[in-house]
Amino acid sequence: MTSAPLPPRTTSGTPATATPAASSTLPDPTALGLPVTDPELAARLADRLTLVDEALLEAVASADRLADGASRHLIDAGGKRFRPLLTLLTGELGDGTVPGVIDAAVVVELTQVASLYHDDVMDSAPMRRGAPSAHMVWGNSVAILVGDMLFARASARVAELGPEAVILQSRTFERMCLGQLHETMGPDEGADGVEHYLQVLSDKTASLLSASARLGAMIAGAPAEHVEAVGAYGEKVGVAFQLADDVLDVASSGETSGKTPGTDLREHVPTMPVLLLRQRVAAGTATDEDRDLLAALDGDLSSDEALAAVVERLRAHDVLAETREHAVRWARAAAAELAPLPDGPVKESLEEFAQVLADRAV
């Protein structure tokens, strides 16, 4: 992967003297899940995101009491609605007022939420979005079935957007499943664990971000060149997003991330810092400290004390800094994909998000 320097941080063309007046009547752009720098664009997106939230509640509603409560669980828990917001933002490259853009945003969030029900079962994660995971409340079987139901509702809704959207959604769903499958099974014997992991991230995480960006631009009627550009951006920014998350899983507190620190470590789910340690051992370049830490990571981490100890050691190890470097490179590559887009607040916001990911990892 080639990297390029991130574009300099910019703001919209709004004069500095106009910002205070605008901020008194328009929503704070930082309240959105994306760093939208233009206050008028932020206001439009905030209004449309409200419509997405209303449509999401309608989409998950069920006459069945159990299905209704369980399917609303993660929707009610909130979240930044990052993927639907990305869809709404790229919709601004065409006609963002087309009703199908709202529907597309609902589809990507339903798909994301459905995958979280499944992920939390597989990872035995106790918390999600600051609330108990669905499987902790209703059990694994209910959580899996509710995830399936939400995938079905996403499929029904995307069918209304036309065959091209259906094909994109189905291929994305397939890639998400393949990513989870390959993560579960691990790399083939002799394969590069780091390269395998990056492919897992591309399929499991980045594919939906790419689809979110593509759908917004496509449904809004943006030029094909712009649709391709934001799709490629989504692929790379999705990998950067997960690598930054790998850093935060170790370096941040549970209050900050909404996720128990070291959850992936406890379940022995491969993450970049651990894979970099394994790479050193396999190459024969590992120190005694490297080998000792890897042995601790591979050991029994069921107790909170054991988990806290390895998290603290990993925080101080240079593989965490190396993971940060990987995240920054992918964020730079994502920003470079935006070159075909016209200058303006949409491009600025996407560039700023890539910068935020780089900063988040550091």
Side-chain angles (χ1 to χ4, degrees), residues 286-340:
T287 64
D288 289 342
E289 166 60 20
D290 293 339
R291 287 187 287 270
D292 185 60
L293 176 55
L294 187 58
L297 288 162
D298 287 339
D300 183 4
L301 300 178
S302 57
S303 75
D304 291 343
E305 293 77 12
L307 181 64
V310 296
V311 166
E312 192 61 32
R313 291 176 66 184
L314 203 52
R315 284 174 179 168
H317 200 284
D318 62 3
V319 290
L320 194 63
E322 193 174 345
T323 301
R324 290 187 175 105
E325 292 170 5
H326 277 282
V328 169
R329 285 198 297 271
W330 279 92
R332 287 173 175 165
E337 295 288 356
L338 300 172

Short mmCIF file of all heavy atoms in Angstrom, two decimals, residues 286-340:
data_model
loop_
_atom_site.label_atom_id
_atom_site.label_comp_id
_atom_site.label_asym_id
_atom_site.label_seq_id
_atom_site.Cartn_x
_atom_site.Cartn_y
_atom_site.Cartn_z
N ALA A 286 12.67 -11.61 18.38
CA ALA A 286 12.00 -11.26 19.63
C ALA A 286 12.99 -11.24 20.79
O ALA A 286 13.94 -12.03 20.85
CB ALA A 286 10.88 -12.26 19.92
N THR A 287 12.75 -10.33 21.73
CA THR A 287 13.52 -10.28 22.97
C THR A 287 12.88 -11.21 23.99
O THR A 287 11.78 -11.74 23.78
CB THR A 287 13.55 -8.86 23.52
OG1 THR A 287 12.19 -8.48 23.89
CG2 THR A 287 14.08 -7.86 22.50
N ASP A 288 13.56 -11.39 25.12
CA ASP A 288 12.99 -12.19 26.19
C ASP A 288 11.67 -11.57 26.67
O ASP A 288 10.72 -12.29 26.97
CB ASP A 288 13.97 -12.31 27.36
CG ASP A 288 15.16 -13.19 27.03
OD1 ASP A 288 15.06 -13.97 26.06
OD2 ASP A 288 16.19 -13.10 27.73
N GLU A 289 11.64 -10.24 26.71
CA GLU A 289 10.41 -9.55 27.14
C GLU A 289 9.28 -9.80 26.15
O GLU A 289 8.13 -10.03 26.54
CB GLU A 289 10.68 -8.05 27.26
CG GLU A 289 9.43 -7.16 27.37
CD GLU A 289 8.55 -7.48 28.58
OE1 GLU A 289 9.03 -8.12 29.54
OE2 GLU A 289 7.35 -7.10 28.54
N ASP A 290 9.61 -9.79 24.84
CA ASP A 290 8.61 -10.08 23.81
C ASP A 290 8.00 -11.47 24.03
O ASP A 290 6.77 -11.64 24.02
CB ASP A 290 9.22 -10.03 22.41
CG ASP A 290 9.67 -8.65 22.00
OD1 ASP A 290 9.18 -7.67 22.58
OD2 ASP A 290 10.51 -8.55 21.10
N ARG A 291 8.87 -12.45 24.21
CA ARG A 291 8.40 -13.83 24.37
C ARG A 291 7.61 -14.00 25.66
O ARG A 291 6.59 -14.70 25.69
CB ARG A 291 9.59 -14.79 24.32
CG ARG A 291 10.17 -14.97 22.92
CD ARG A 291 11.23 -16.05 22.90
NE ARG A 291 12.45 -15.59 23.57
CZ ARG A 291 13.45 -14.98 22.95
NH1 ARG A 291 13.39 -14.75 21.65
NH2 ARG A 291 14.52 -14.60 23.62
N ASP A 292 8.06 -13.35 26.72
CA ASP A 292 7.37 -13.46 28.00
C ASP A 292 5.99 -12.82 27.92
O ASP A 292 4.99 -13.37 28.42
CB ASP A 292 8.21 -12.81 29.10
CG ASP A 292 7.59 -13.01 30.48
OD1 ASP A 292 7.43 -14.17 30.90
OD2 ASP A 292 7.24 -11.99 31.12
N LEU A 293 5.90 -11.67 27.28
CA LEU A 293 4.60 -10.99 27.14
C LEU A 293 3.67 -11.82 26.26
O LEU A 293 2.47 -11.95 26.57
CB LEU A 293 4.80 -9.59 26.54
CG LEU A 293 3.53 -8.79 26.25
CD1 LEU A 293 2.64 -8.66 27.49
CD2 LEU A 293 3.90 -7.40 25.71
N LEU A 294 4.18 -12.38 25.17
CA LEU A 294 3.34 -13.19 24.30
C LEU A 294 2.82 -14.42 25.03
O LEU A 294 1.65 -14.80 24.87
CB LEU A 294 4.11 -13.60 23.05
CG LEU A 294 3.31 -14.31 21.96
CD1 LEU A 294 2.15 -13.45 21.49
CD2 LEU A 294 4.22 -14.68 20.79
N ALA A 295 3.66 -15.02 25.87
CA ALA A 295 3.21 -16.17 26.66
C ALA A 295 2.09 -15.77 27.62
O ALA A 295 1.11 -16.51 27.80
CB ALA A 295 4.39 -16.75 27.44
N ALA A 296 2.21 -14.59 28.20
CA ALA A 296 1.16 -14.10 29.11
C ALA A 296 -0.14 -13.84 28.33
O ALA A 296 -1.24 -14.15 28.80
CB ALA A 296 1.63 -12.83 29.82
N LEU A 297 -0.01 -13.27 27.13
CA LEU A 297 -1.19 -13.01 26.30
C LEU A 297 -1.88 -14.30 25.87
O LEU A 297 -3.10 -14.34 25.71
CB LEU A 297 -0.79 -12.19 25.07
CG LEU A 297 -0.43 -10.73 25.32
CD1 LEU A 297 0.34 -10.16 24.14
CD2 LEU A 297 -1.68 -9.91 25.59
N ASP A 298 -1.10 -15.35 25.67
CA ASP A 298 -1.66 -16.64 25.26
C ASP A 298 -2.17 -17.45 26.45
O ASP A 298 -2.78 -18.51 26.27
CB ASP A 298 -0.59 -17.46 24.53
CG ASP A 298 -0.32 -16.94 23.13
OD1 ASP A 298 -1.19 -16.22 22.59
OD2 ASP A 298 0.76 -17.24 22.58
N GLY A 299 -1.93 -16.96 27.66
CA GLY A 299 -2.32 -17.70 28.85
C GLY A 299 -3.75 -17.43 29.27
O GLY A 299 -4.57 -16.89 28.51
N ASP A 300 -4.06 -17.78 30.50
CA ASP A 300 -5.41 -17.63 31.05
C ASP A 300 -5.63 -16.18 31.48
O ASP A 300 -5.00 -15.70 32.41
CB ASP A 300 -5.58 -18.57 32.25
CG ASP A 300 -6.98 -18.51 32.84
OD1 ASP A 300 -7.84 -17.80 32.26
OD2 ASP A 300 -7.21 -19.16 33.88
N LEU A 301 -6.53 -15.49 30.77
CA LEU A 301 -6.83 -14.09 31.07
C LEU A 301 -8.26 -13.94 31.59
O LEU A 301 -8.87 -12.88 31.46
CB LEU A 301 -6.63 -13.23 29.82
CG LEU A 301 -5.22 -13.22 29.22
CD1 LEU A 301 -5.18 -12.37 27.97
CD2 LEU A 301 -4.21 -12.72 30.24
N SER A 302 -8.79 -15.00 32.18
CA SER A 302 -10.17 -14.96 32.64
C SER A 302 -10.36 -14.05 33.85
O SER A 302 -11.44 -13.49 34.05
CB SER A 302 -10.67 -16.37 32.96
OG SER A 302 -9.83 -16.99 33.93
N SER A 303 -9.32 -13.90 34.67
CA SER A 303 -9.45 -13.03 35.83
C SER A 303 -9.18 -11.58 35.44
O SER A 303 -8.36 -11.30 34.55
CB SER A 303 -8.48 -13.45 36.94
OG SER A 303 -7.16 -13.07 36.62
N ASP A 304 -9.86 -10.65 36.09
CA ASP A 304 -9.66 -9.23 35.80
C ASP A 304 -8.23 -8.81 36.11
O ASP A 304 -7.67 -7.95 35.43
CB ASP A 304 -10.64 -8.38 36.63
CG ASP A 304 -12.08 -8.56 36.17
OD1 ASP A 304 -12.29 -9.05 35.05
OD2 ASP A 304 -12.99 -8.21 36.96
N GLU A 305 -7.63 -9.42 37.12
CA GLU A 305 -6.27 -9.06 37.51
C GLU A 305 -5.27 -9.44 36.42
O GLU A 305 -4.38 -8.66 36.06
CB GLU A 305 -5.89 -9.74 38.83
CG GLU A 305 -6.67 -9.26 40.04
CD GLU A 305 -8.08 -9.85 40.12
OE1 GLU A 305 -8.38 -10.81 39.36
OE2 GLU A 305 -8.88 -9.34 40.94
N ALA A 306 -5.43 -10.67 35.89
CA ALA A 306 -4.51 -11.12 34.83
C ALA A 306 -4.67 -10.27 33.58
O ALA A 306 -3.68 -9.91 32.93
CB ALA A 306 -4.77 -12.59 34.52
N LEU A 307 -5.92 -9.96 33.23
CA LEU A 307 -6.15 -9.13 32.05
C LEU A 307 -5.56 -7.74 32.23
O LEU A 307 -4.89 -7.21 31.33
CB LEU A 307 -7.66 -9.04 31.77
CG LEU A 307 -8.06 -8.22 30.55
CD1 LEU A 307 -7.52 -8.86 29.28
CD2 LEU A 307 -9.58 -8.07 30.46
N ALA A 308 -5.79 -7.12 33.38
CA ALA A 308 -5.27 -5.77 33.63
C ALA A 308 -3.75 -5.75 33.56
O ALA A 308 -3.15 -4.79 33.05
CB ALA A 308 -5.75 -5.27 34.99
N ALA A 309 -3.11 -6.83 34.01
CA ALA A 309 -1.65 -6.88 34.01
C ALA A 309 -1.10 -6.91 32.59
O ALA A 309 -0.14 -6.18 32.27
CB ALA A 309 -1.17 -8.10 34.79
N VAL A 310 -1.69 -7.72 31.70
CA VAL A 310 -1.16 -7.79 30.33
C VAL A 310 -1.51 -6.52 29.55
O VAL A 310 -0.74 -6.07 28.70
CB VAL A 310 -1.65 -9.04 29.57
CG1 VAL A 310 -1.13 -10.30 30.22
CG2 VAL A 310 -3.14 -9.07 29.40
N VAL A 311 -2.67 -5.93 29.84
CA VAL A 311 -3.03 -4.67 29.19
C VAL A 311 -2.00 -3.60 29.55
O VAL A 311 -1.53 -2.85 28.67
CB VAL A 311 -4.45 -4.22 29.59
CG1 VAL A 311 -4.69 -2.77 29.20
CG2 VAL A 311 -5.50 -5.11 28.94
N GLU A 312 -1.62 -3.54 30.80
CA GLU A 312 -0.65 -2.54 31.24
C GLU A 312 0.71 -2.77 30.58
O GLU A 312 1.38 -1.82 30.16
CB GLU A 312 -0.52 -2.59 32.76
CG GLU A 312 0.24 -1.41 33.35
CD GLU A 312 -0.44 -0.07 33.08
OE1 GLU A 312 -1.68 -0.03 32.99
OE2 GLU A 312 0.30 0.94 32.93
N ARG A 313 1.11 -4.03 30.46
CA ARG A 313 2.40 -4.33 29.82
C ARG A 313 2.36 -3.99 28.34
O ARG A 313 3.34 -3.48 27.78
CB ARG A 313 2.75 -5.80 30.02
CG ARG A 313 3.09 -6.16 31.45
CD ARG A 313 3.33 -7.66 31.61
NE ARG A 313 4.54 -8.09 30.89
CZ ARG A 313 4.91 -9.36 30.80
NH1 ARG A 313 4.17 -10.33 31.37
NH2 ARG A 313 6.02 -9.69 30.16
N LEU A 314 1.24 -4.28 27.70
CA LEU A 314 1.12 -4.00 26.27
C LEU A 314 1.09 -2.50 25.99
O LEU A 314 1.61 -2.03 24.97
CB LEU A 314 -0.14 -4.67 25.71
CG LEU A 314 -0.19 -4.97 24.21
CD1 LEU A 314 1.04 -5.74 23.74
CD2 LEU A 314 -1.46 -5.74 23.87
N ARG A 315 0.51 -1.75 26.91
CA ARG A 315 0.49 -0.28 26.77
C ARG A 315 1.90 0.29 26.71
O ARG A 315 2.14 1.30 26.04
CB ARG A 315 -0.28 0.35 27.94
CG ARG A 315 -1.78 0.24 27.85
CD ARG A 315 -2.45 0.76 29.10
NE ARG A 315 -3.90 0.68 28.99
CZ ARG A 315 -4.73 0.86 30.01
NH1 ARG A 315 -4.26 1.12 31.22
NH2 ARG A 315 -6.04 0.78 29.82
N ALA A 316 2.82 -0.33 27.43
CA ALA A 316 4.19 0.19 27.50
C ALA A 316 5.09 -0.39 26.42
O ALA A 316 6.26 0.02 26.32
CB ALA A 316 4.77 -0.12 28.89
N HIS A 317 4.60 -1.30 25.61
CA HIS A 317 5.44 -1.99 24.62
C HIS A 317 5.44 -1.26 23.28
O HIS A 317 4.45 -0.63 22.91
CB HIS A 317 4.94 -3.43 24.42
CG HIS A 317 5.95 -4.35 23.84
ND1 HIS A 317 6.28 -4.32 22.50
CD2 HIS A 317 6.71 -5.31 24.40
CE1 HIS A 317 7.21 -5.24 22.26
NE2 HIS A 317 7.49 -5.87 23.40
N ASP A 318 6.55 -1.37 22.54
CA ASP A 318 6.65 -0.62 21.29
C ASP A 318 5.78 -1.18 20.16
O ASP A 318 5.62 -0.53 19.13
CB ASP A 318 8.10 -0.48 20.83
CG ASP A 318 8.78 -1.81 20.55
OD1 ASP A 318 8.14 -2.86 20.65
OD2 ASP A 318 9.99 -1.78 20.21
N VAL A 319 5.21 -2.38 20.31
CA VAL A 319 4.29 -2.86 19.27
C VAL A 319 3.03 -2.02 19.22
O VAL A 319 2.36 -1.97 18.19
CB VAL A 319 3.93 -4.35 19.45
CG1 VAL A 319 5.12 -5.24 19.16
CG2 VAL A 319 3.33 -4.63 20.82
N LEU A 320 2.69 -1.37 20.33
CA LEU A 320 1.54 -0.47 20.30
C LEU A 320 1.85 0.75 19.45
O LEU A 320 1.01 1.20 18.66
CB LEU A 320 1.14 -0.07 21.72
CG LEU A 320 -0.24 0.59 21.85
CD1 LEU A 320 -1.35 -0.37 21.43
CD2 LEU A 320 -0.48 1.08 23.28
N ALA A 321 3.07 1.28 19.58
CA ALA A 321 3.47 2.41 18.73
C ALA A 321 3.52 1.99 17.26
O ALA A 321 3.14 2.77 16.37
CB ALA A 321 4.83 2.92 19.18
N GLU A 322 3.95 0.77 16.99
CA GLU A 322 3.99 0.29 15.61
C GLU A 322 2.58 0.16 15.04
O GLU A 322 2.34 0.44 13.85
CB GLU A 322 4.72 -1.06 15.55
CG GLU A 322 5.08 -1.50 14.15
CD GLU A 322 5.93 -2.76 14.12
OE1 GLU A 322 6.49 -3.14 15.18
OE2 GLU A 322 6.03 -3.37 13.04
N THR A 323 1.63 -0.26 15.88
CA THR A 323 0.24 -0.33 15.44
C THR A 323 -0.28 1.06 15.10
O THR A 323 -1.00 1.26 14.11
CB THR A 323 -0.64 -0.97 16.52
OG1 THR A 323 -0.16 -2.29 16.79
CG2 THR A 323 -2.09 -1.06 16.07
N ARG A 324 0.10 2.04 15.91
CA ARG A 324 -0.28 3.43 15.62
C ARG A 324 0.24 3.85 14.25
O ARG A 324 -0.45 4.51 13.48
CB ARG A 324 0.26 4.35 16.71
CG ARG A 324 -0.40 4.22 18.07
CD ARG A 324 0.10 5.30 19.02
NE ARG A 324 -0.61 5.27 20.28
CZ ARG A 324 -0.11 4.80 21.42
NH1 ARG A 324 1.12 4.31 21.44
NH2 ARG A 324 -0.82 4.81 22.53
N GLU A 325 1.47 3.48 13.94
CA GLU A 325 2.07 3.85 12.66
C GLU A 325 1.30 3.22 11.50
O GLU A 325 1.09 3.86 10.46
CB GLU A 325 3.53 3.41 12.62
CG GLU A 325 4.43 4.19 13.58
CD GLU A 325 5.82 3.58 13.69
OE1 GLU A 325 6.09 2.61 12.96
OE2 GLU A 325 6.61 4.09 14.52
N HIS A 326 0.88 1.98 11.66
CA HIS A 326 0.06 1.32 10.63
C HIS A 326 -1.24 2.11 10.42
O HIS A 326 -1.66 2.34 9.28
CB HIS A 326 -0.27 -0.11 11.04
CG HIS A 326 0.79 -1.11 10.72
ND1 HIS A 326 1.00 -1.61 9.46
CD2 HIS A 326 1.71 -1.71 11.52
CE1 HIS A 326 2.00 -2.47 9.47
NE2 HIS A 326 2.45 -2.56 10.72
N ALA A 327 -1.89 2.50 11.51
CA ALA A 327 -3.16 3.23 11.41
C ALA A 327 -2.97 4.55 10.67
O ALA A 327 -3.79 4.92 9.82
CB ALA A 327 -3.73 3.47 12.81
N VAL A 328 -1.90 5.25 10.97
CA VAL A 328 -1.64 6.54 10.32
C VAL A 328 -1.40 6.35 8.83
O VAL A 328 -1.91 7.12 8.00
CB VAL A 328 -0.44 7.25 11.00
CG1 VAL A 328 0.00 8.45 10.18
CG2 VAL A 328 -0.81 7.68 12.42
N ARG A 329 -0.67 5.31 8.45
CA ARG A 329 -0.41 5.07 7.02
C ARG A 329 -1.70 4.79 6.27
O ARG A 329 -1.91 5.29 5.15
CB ARG A 329 0.57 3.91 6.84
CG ARG A 329 2.02 4.26 7.17
CD ARG A 329 2.98 3.25 6.57
NE ARG A 329 2.80 1.91 7.11
CZ ARG A 329 3.40 1.46 8.18
NH1 ARG A 329 4.21 2.24 8.88
NH2 ARG A 329 3.21 0.21 8.59
N TRP A 330 -2.57 3.98 6.84
CA TRP A 330 -3.85 3.69 6.18
C TRP A 330 -4.73 4.94 6.11
O TRP A 330 -5.45 5.15 5.12
CB TRP A 330 -4.57 2.56 6.90
CG TRP A 330 -4.05 1.21 6.52
CD1 TRP A 330 -3.06 0.50 7.14
CD2 TRP A 330 -4.47 0.41 5.41
NE1 TRP A 330 -2.83 -0.69 6.49
CE2 TRP A 330 -3.68 -0.78 5.43
CE3 TRP A 330 -5.42 0.56 4.41
CZ2 TRP A 330 -3.84 -1.79 4.48
CZ3 TRP A 330 -5.58 -0.46 3.48
CH2 TRP A 330 -4.80 -1.61 3.51
N ALA A 331 -4.69 5.77 7.14
CA ALA A 331 -5.48 7.02 7.11
C ALA A 331 -4.98 7.94 6.01
O ALA A 331 -5.77 8.58 5.30
CB ALA A 331 -5.41 7.71 8.47
N ARG A 332 -3.67 8.02 5.83
CA ARG A 332 -3.10 8.84 4.75
C ARG A 332 -3.51 8.31 3.38
O ARG A 332 -3.84 9.08 2.47
CB ARG A 332 -1.58 8.87 4.87
CG ARG A 332 -1.07 9.71 6.03
CD ARG A 332 0.42 9.56 6.19
NE ARG A 332 0.94 10.45 7.23
CZ ARG A 332 2.13 10.34 7.79
NH1 ARG A 332 2.95 9.37 7.38
NH2 ARG A 332 2.52 11.18 8.72
N ALA A 333 -3.47 7.00 3.23
CA ALA A 333 -3.86 6.40 1.96
C ALA A 333 -5.34 6.66 1.66
O ALA A 333 -5.72 6.88 0.50
CB ALA A 333 -3.57 4.90 1.96
N ALA A 334 -6.17 6.63 2.70
CA ALA A 334 -7.60 6.92 2.52
C ALA A 334 -7.80 8.35 2.03
O ALA A 334 -8.56 8.60 1.09
CB ALA A 334 -8.34 6.71 3.84
N ALA A 335 -7.10 9.29 2.66
CA ALA A 335 -7.24 10.70 2.25
C ALA A 335 -6.81 10.91 0.80
O ALA A 335 -7.41 11.70 0.08
CB ALA A 335 -6.43 11.59 3.18
N ALA A 336 -5.81 10.17 0.37
CA ALA A 336 -5.32 10.31 -1.01
C ALA A 336 -6.37 9.89 -2.03
O ALA A 336 -6.37 10.38 -3.16
CB ALA A 336 -4.04 9.50 -1.19
N GLU A 337 -7.28 8.98 -1.65
CA GLU A 337 -8.32 8.51 -2.58
C GLU A 337 -9.34 9.60 -2.89
O GLU A 337 -10.12 9.47 -3.84
CB GLU A 337 -9.05 7.30 -1.99
CG GLU A 337 -8.19 6.06 -1.82
CD GLU A 337 -7.84 5.39 -3.15
OE1 GLU A 337 -8.32 5.84 -4.20
OE2 GLU A 337 -7.06 4.41 -3.12
N LEU A 338 -9.35 10.66 -2.12
CA LEU A 338 -10.35 11.72 -2.30
C LEU A 338 -9.98 12.74 -3.37
O LEU A 338 -10.75 13.67 -3.62
CB LEU A 338 -10.59 12.44 -0.97
CG LEU A 338 -11.10 11.57 0.18
CD1 LEU A 338 -11.11 12.36 1.49
CD2 LEU A 338 -12.49 11.03 -0.12
N ALA A 339 -8.82 12.56 -4.00
CA ALA A 339 -8.35 13.55 -4.98
C ALA A 339 -9.37 13.87 -6.07
O ALA A 339 -9.49 15.04 -6.47
CB ALA A 339 -7.04 13.06 -5.60
N PRO A 340 -10.16 12.90 -6.60
CA PRO A 340 -11.11 13.24 -7.67
C PRO A 340 -12.29 14.09 -7.22
O PRO A 340 -13.01 14.63 -8.07
CB PRO A 340 -11.61 11.87 -8.15
CG PRO A 340 -10.58 10.88 -7.70
CD PRO A 340 -10.08 11.44 -6.40
#
